[in-house]
Amino acid sequence: MPALPKFSVGLVMATLLSLTLPAAAQADHTAQAAQTARAFEVQVTGPRSATDQARAKADLIFVPGLASSREVWSGLVETLCQARRCHLLQLAGFAGTSPIAGALLAQTEQQLNDYIAAQHFKQAPIVIGHSLGGFLALKLAIGPDSLLERAIVIDALPALAAMQQPSLSPQQLAALATQMRAQMLAQDAADFTAQQHEALARMVTATADLARVRDAATRSNRVAVIGAMAEMAGDDLRPRLAAIARPVLVLASWAGYKPYADKAAIEGLFRQQYLGLAGVQIEMASHGLHFLMLDEPGWTLAQIERFLP
């Protein structure tokens, strides 16, 4: 596979994950971080009548990505949540919600497991996650005691920061994440904004969708977003993939990589990262960028419906 361009650490993370925060909203809200310990808010929708609820299939839990709003799921929800109860998460610090102190991903993982256990579902739920949310879906699926029935991962890798250098050690990944956090917190506001606007333009196609994604990022907390990005960049799930015994579907985008490699090469990169996950299903979109549910909604819906029990 041709080598991908050697971006700066900050641009690699921003390009492959999602927008962090334009300068217009870069105030450091650290003082507000202790307002709440809730790692996410939940909006529940789905069948309303008692009869429809009794017939409903396994619940779906939607987790959006970095600096994103749960509104990115609206197209899928309109169809999928007619016959299923759906739980739409909004992560703390993103899209106008209050941030929390500490590691957001770790707290979200723990609190989401607690939430699932407290629901006493008749059937184990299915988590659908985009980008950062897809990474969380993988974490929730690990281990024989996983509370999931299966997981759907949209354009996320188990070791994002190792995509150009697969042999990076845990210590090297941790150092990379620390460097990335420092770079992005110290970055000049004007350069930061220009960089993120350029990155977002390579993640979603339609002008209206781009505006909505950009608005959610603008309303996100800078420190929370950079912290969550660094958490994921410093982690490597590849050694733990073999402990996933649940079915996993990965929907991947390659269109954003067209200038650097062909579709087969990018598919090879995804398959190499997921090599330790037996039975994983990987499907590559033909045209959609990072926000596949916005760029290729019909294809994304068809893949999900095919995979759902």
Side-chain angles (χ1 to χ4, degrees):
M1 172 183 171
L4 298 180
K6 297 296 183 180
F7 301 120
S8 69
V9 174
L11 184 54
V12 168
M13 295 302 112
T15 302
L16 299 176
L17 298 179
S18 181
L19 182 67
T20 54
L21 190 66
Q26 286 187 6
D28 185 342
H29 299 293
T30 304
Q32 301 176 10
Q35 288 183 351
T36 177
R38 295 175 59 192
F40 55 84
E41 299 174 355
V42 184
Q43 181 184 82
V44 181
T45 186
R48 298 189 176 184
S49 73
T51 300
D52 288 342
Q53 290 179 16
R55 296 173 178 171
K57 300 176 182 179
D59 287 38
L60 303 179
I61 299 174
F62 291 86
V63 187
L66 193 72
S68 289
S69 165
R70 59 180 162 223
E71 296 303 318
V72 297
W73 302 115
S74 58
L76 294 180
V77 166
E78 186 175 344
T79 299
L80 294 175
C81 302
Q82 296 297 317
R84 298 175 184 270
R85 191 168 61 156
C86 294
H87 308 251
L88 310 179
L89 269 61
Q90 183 61 67
L91 300 189
F94 299 170
T97 57
S98 298
I100 61 173
L104 177 62
L105 268 66
Q107 292 181 82
T108 300
E109 179 184 2
Q110 180 59 58
Q111 291 184 30
L112 187 48
N113 270 319
D114 293 343
Y115 177 82
I116 293 171
Q119 295 300 304
H120 301 293
F121 292 119
K122 291 187 296 184
Q123 306 175 57
I126 298 160
V127 170
I128 303 176
H130 172 242
S131 193
L132 184 82
F135 187 79
L136 277 167
L138 286 174
K139 290 174 72 70
L140 290 164
I142 292 172
D145 297 327
S146 170
L147 300 178
L148 304 187
E149 198 281 331
R150 60 188 61 195
I152 298 173
V153 176
I154 300 180
D155 213 33
L157 292 167
L160 179 68
M163 65 177 300
Q164 293 193 53
Q165 300 181 58
S167 62
L168 285 177
S169 68
Q171 293 78 15
Q172 290 171 320
L173 286 172
L176 181 67
T178 299
Q179 179 188 358
M180 183 209 71
R181 186 197 299 265
Q183 280 189 356
M184 300 197 79
L185 287 172
Q187 190 172 17
D188 174 80
D191 291 343
F192 186 90
T193 300
Q195 188 179 50
Q196 310 320 312
H197 283 191
E198 179 185 356
L200 255 190
R202 296 195 297 270
M203 295 179 191
V204 62
T205 301
T207 301
D209 291 333
L210 176 59
R212 284 191 288 269
V213 172
R214 185 172 289 166
D215 176 68
T218 301
R219 294 183 290 113
S220 296
N221 175 270
R222 176 175 179 258
V223 174
V225 172
I226 293 175
M229 185 187 297
E231 264 190 275
M232 182 163 74
D235 203 353
D236 184 354
L237 301 183
R238 290 174 299 176
R240 304 173 63 194
L241 293 179
I244 296 179
R246 308 297 190 261
V248 175
L249 170 67
V250 177
L251 303 182
S253 164
W254 81 277
Y257 298 102
K258 278 185 179 181
Y260 319 121
D262 60 22
K263 185 176 180 179
I266 298 303
E267 182 174 1
L269 183 152
F270 270 82
R271 294 197 179 281
Q272 181 64 35
Q273 284 236 343
Y274 282 97
L275 193 61
L277 179 49
V280 64
Q281 299 181 41
I282 300 176
E283 301 293 340
M284 303 292 295
S286 297
H287 308 291
L289 301 179
H290 184 56
F291 286 81
L292 287 174
M293 59 284 205
L294 301 179
D295 274 10
E296 287 199 59
W299 178 86
T300 301
L301 178 62
Q303 299 303 315
I304 291 174
E305 289 186 319
R306 175 187 58 78
F307 181 72
L308 292 176

